[in-house]
Structures are given as C-alpha cells and as structure tokens.
C-alpha cells in the first residue's frame, strides 16, 4: 500500500490538523515528517479544541498509530507540555501506546532557541518573523553535522554530547551577539522532559514505515507549514528551514518516491501568512481586517495576527506542481460568506509584464496582483451537511478553481469542527 501525503499549499495554517483528524480513521499510521513546534495544528470535535505542535493529528482514534518522523525537530519541553495537556484532557498517550518517536529526529536545545532569538533580533526590520522555537538553528546543526538526535538520549555519554553542543552555542552567542541569556530553568525543564520521552518507543522509523507499507497498511504523512514556506521553493529567505513539499515526506520518513500514493493539497478559500516576507494578494485594509476577524486569523502557536488576502492562483499552481497534488481540500469557505464580491489573483503585473508564475526576485521586486472579481455568497455554510445545500455561487467558485488548478476539490471544509466537512466527489 502506498503512503498518502497531506500538505499545505499556501503559507501554512490551511487547516491541516483538522483535515488529518477527519481522515485519520481510514489510516493505520499518521506520520509527521518535517518541521517541529513552529507548527500549530488545531482540531475541534465534541465541543473540545486541541492544538498540536509536534504530535501527529491522528491521536484521537483508537486504531491509528502515530509517528514523529526522522525529519522532525523536537523540543522536549514543548512535547512534554503537549503530552501533559493531552493527559489532563483524558488522552494519556503513554497509556494508549499510540505514539512513537524516530530515533533519528533531531533535538532542539534551549540554546537553539537563544540563537534563533538573537539572530532575529539582529536582523531588525528585515527579520524572518520566526516562531522563535529554535527551528532554523537546529536544522543548521543537523546539516552542519553537529546535531543531537532523539536516539542519543539513551546513550551513556548523552550529557557530554549535550554539553559540547551547548558550549559551541554559548561561544557563538557571546561572539556574535555579545550576550548569553540565562537558560538554567529551561535546561532543567529540558532534562526533565527527556526522562518522559525515554518512556516512549524510540524507533528506526524508516523500517517501521516501510513495514507498514509492506503489510498493506495505510499510512498518511502529515505535513507542517506550507509549500510557500519550503526552504528550496518558498519565498526565500522568508521561509522555514525544512522541505515542506512532498519530497520532504520521502526524506523525513525514509520512504521511496515510488511509494507515494495520493498527494492531498490543502488550501484556504482565501490566503493568510504569518511572519515577514512577500504576500502579493495581501489586504492591508478593512476587508483584510474583516477576514482576520471572521476567520479568527491569529497564530495557533504564537497568537500573532495573521496577514490576510485573496487567493493567489499563480502561487497555488506552483505548489500543486511542486507536490504533484492529486486531490484538493478547500477550507474556510464559511469565512467568505457575506462578502459581496471576492477576488482571485490570476496573474501578477511584474516589471511591466503580466506573468502567471512567482518570480525569483519576489522578495525585492513588487508583483502586483491581477484580480478576477467573483460574486460572493451570503448563505451561512457552517451547518450544511449535504451537497445540495452548497450555494450556487460557492459551487461556481469551486468550479472556477478546479478549472484553473486542474485538480479536483475532493473535500470542502465549512467550519473548524470535525463534522463540518463535506466530501465533494
Ligand atoms: P494548520 O496549521 O494547517 O493545522 O491550521 P491551524 O490550526 O494553524 O489554523 C487553521 C484554523 O482554522 C484553526 O483555528 C482551525 O480550527 C480553523 N479551521 C479549519 N478549517 C476551518 C473551516 O473550514 N472553517 C473555519 N471557520 N475554521 C476552520
Ligand atoms: P503550521 O504547520 C504558519 C512561519 C513563521 C515565519 C517562518 C519561519 O501550523 O502551518 P520558523 O519558526 O520556522 O523559523 O519560522 O515560517 N511559520 C509558519 N507559518 N504556519 C506554520 O506552521 C508555520 N511554521 C513556521 O511565521 O514566517
Ligand atoms: Mg498552524
């Protein structure tokens, strides 16, 4: 059985957590493959709301196993907090035995977070707008071959390895930024959290996942962030530090490209971005504010207001191409209810020309969106459960998007709850 991949096609926060939860019942294993606690995946059901940062979104189903894959970077402190919160809410994952962690996943140290913060501070107005979770510095140590991995926590010399890396970080902080903030409390919390992580199965996840495939079991790889934040193809340098695209699922889980099945691409009916960087369709006006208010567009991880704008088709087409998307999910259609007119960016005006792709220098040269006006719909969508309840104008919007994107929209999400999801085809 092949591995399906679900990933974001915009700048993150498309509703991945909700949709993975909806789909989880049909899978034997849900596996996160990249990113770390910079992610915030929200799930709502039975009047309860959960935000998951590192833990895969399949944990609420009894027959679904969950894996934090080797491509993920793990902050033990955040992971412990997530686990504790879940336990308090009646979901003790240690007892349920439904979470495994890859030995080869890298560890985020307290000093990685200090480096992240210091680097952002030094960049001033040009900062990336990082979540400050230590993501960039941890992936730097991974590719620089200095990193510590989850498997190391069981080694007798783990503390020595830890200290060696911390010494390197403190001397970097001192020489580059002139200060090292006190991290003794976080260090104590780090080692406390490590003790908890030791109680989970630490696995060679590449063997595990390939075993599932061989046994004909169904695996869903859960992406974090979105295609436009990909380290290679996103709006560099305003990106995250991992491959958020489908290729990341191969390296982040140890599966071959030939083992990928469906690639499920998820997008909002409009668009948001949190942090710095280009956003051609951004609305810095009352309409943008309204989208933010109605859509509750505030970061699930940092609480920062998300920037809002209209759907960007050149960016979406690019994301679909990079990922080989076979099925689409559109979320937050309900948020657009009541907008008399909505707009879709079909092209950019760029250096006196009209283009239909994201230009290389989008971070330094303006790409002005060419917008197509579309009639909006007024109906409240949040209670609809049948396809014949979909307003005609929303159906026309979906038809238009399918014609532009050349991929079927298979799911339509009309609210944050698990139940507010329609299967279209
Ligand atoms: P993720 O990072 O892709 O998992 O998305 P986030 O959880 O960061 O942000 C998506 C937000 O939209 C969350 O608050 C979800 O509960 C919410 N959400 C998801 N789908 C829908 C939808 O169809 N309609 C509305 N109104 N909210 C949704
Ligand atoms: P989910 O999985 C939205 C953004 C940050 C910043 C940039 C780099 O919830 O969709 P980093 O902390 O990775 O160094 O930040 O990437 N970013 C996200 N934006 N959703 C996310 O995750 C994000 N993870 C990182 O805001 O602009
Ligand atoms: Mg999110």
């Amino acid at each position: 059985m092949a591995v399906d991949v679900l990933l974001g096609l915009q700048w993150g926060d498309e509703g991945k957590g909700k949709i993975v939860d909806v789909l989880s019942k049909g899978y034997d294993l849900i596996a996160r493959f990249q990113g770390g606690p910079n992610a915030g995946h929200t799930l709502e059901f039975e009047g309860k709301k959960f935000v998951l940062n590192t833990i895969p979104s399949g944990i609420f189903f009894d027959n679904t196993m969950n894996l934090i894959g080797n491509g993920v970077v793990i902050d033990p402190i955040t992971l412990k907090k997530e686990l504790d919160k879940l336990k308090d809410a009646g979901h003790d994952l240690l007892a349920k035995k439904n979470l495994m962690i890859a030995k080869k996943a890298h560890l985020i140290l307290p000093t990685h977070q200090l480096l992240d913060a210091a680097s952002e501070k030094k960049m001033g107005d040009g900062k990336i707008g990082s979540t400050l979770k230590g993501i960039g510095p941890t992936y730097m140590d991974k590719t620089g071959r200095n990193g510590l991995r989850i498997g190391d926590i069981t080694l007798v010399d783990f503390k020595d390895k830890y200290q060696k890396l911390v010494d390197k970080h403190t001397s970097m902080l001192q020489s580059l930024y002139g200060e090292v903030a006190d991290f003794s409390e976080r260090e104590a919390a780090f080692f406390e959290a490590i003790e908890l992580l030791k109680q989970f199965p630490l696995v060679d996840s590449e063997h595990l996942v390939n075993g599932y495939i061989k046994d004909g079991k169904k695996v869903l790889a859960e992406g974090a962030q979105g295609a436009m934040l990909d380290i290679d193809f996103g709006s560099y340098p305003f990106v995250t530090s991992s491959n958020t695209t489908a290729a990341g699922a191969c390296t982040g889980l140890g599966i071959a490209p030939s083992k990928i099945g469906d690639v499920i691409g998820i997008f909002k009916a409009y668009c948001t971005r949190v942090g710095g960087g280009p956003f051609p369709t951004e609305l810095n006006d009352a309409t943008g504010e309204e989208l933010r208010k109605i859509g509750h567009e505030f970061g699930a991880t940092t609480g920062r207001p998300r920037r809002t704008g209209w759907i960007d088709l050149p960016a979406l087409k690019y994301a679909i191409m990079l990922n080989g998307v076979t099925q689409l999910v559109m979320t937050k259609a309900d948020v657009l209810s009541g907008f008399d007119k909505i707009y879709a960016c079909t092209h950019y005006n760029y250096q006196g020309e009209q283009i239909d792709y994201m230009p290389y220098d989008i971070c330094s040269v303006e790409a002005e969106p060419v917008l197509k006006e579309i009639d909006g719909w007024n109906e409240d969508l949040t209670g609809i459960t049948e396809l014949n309840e979909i307003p005609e104008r929303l159906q026309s919007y979906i038809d238009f998007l399918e014609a532009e994107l050349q991929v079927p929209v298979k799911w339509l999400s009309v609210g944050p709850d698990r139940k507010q999801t329609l299967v279209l085809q």
Side-chain angles (χ1 to χ4, degrees), residues 278 280 348-353 355 359 361-369:
Y348 307 124
N349 282 327
Y350 166 79
Q351 297 191 321
E353 256 186 276
I355 59 168
D361 49 6
I362 185 122
C363 294
S364 44
V365 180
E366 199 197 352
E368 185 206 337

Side-chain angles (χ1 to χ4, degrees), residues 6 8 12-19 38-44 49-52 57 222-225 266 268 270 272 294-301 306 330-335 382 412-417 420-421:
L6 181 141
D13 303 329
E14 297 89 349
K16 297 175 291 293
K18 175 198 154 156
I19 299 299
N38 48 351
H41 294 182
T42 314
L43 295 80
E44 289 191 35
K49 177 174 166 175
F50 297 93
V51 177
L52 302 175
S57 302
E222 172 180 0
Q225 291 81 52
I266 177 165
K268 277 180 193 170
Y270 48 100
T272 64
I294 302 170
H296 303 293
E297 295 297 357
F298 295 88
T301 303
R306 292 178 186 145
M330 182 163 89
T331 60
K332 299 200 123 171
D334 55 300
V335 174
T382 54
L412 176 68
S413 174
V414 292
D417 193 273
Q420 293 170 303
T421 317

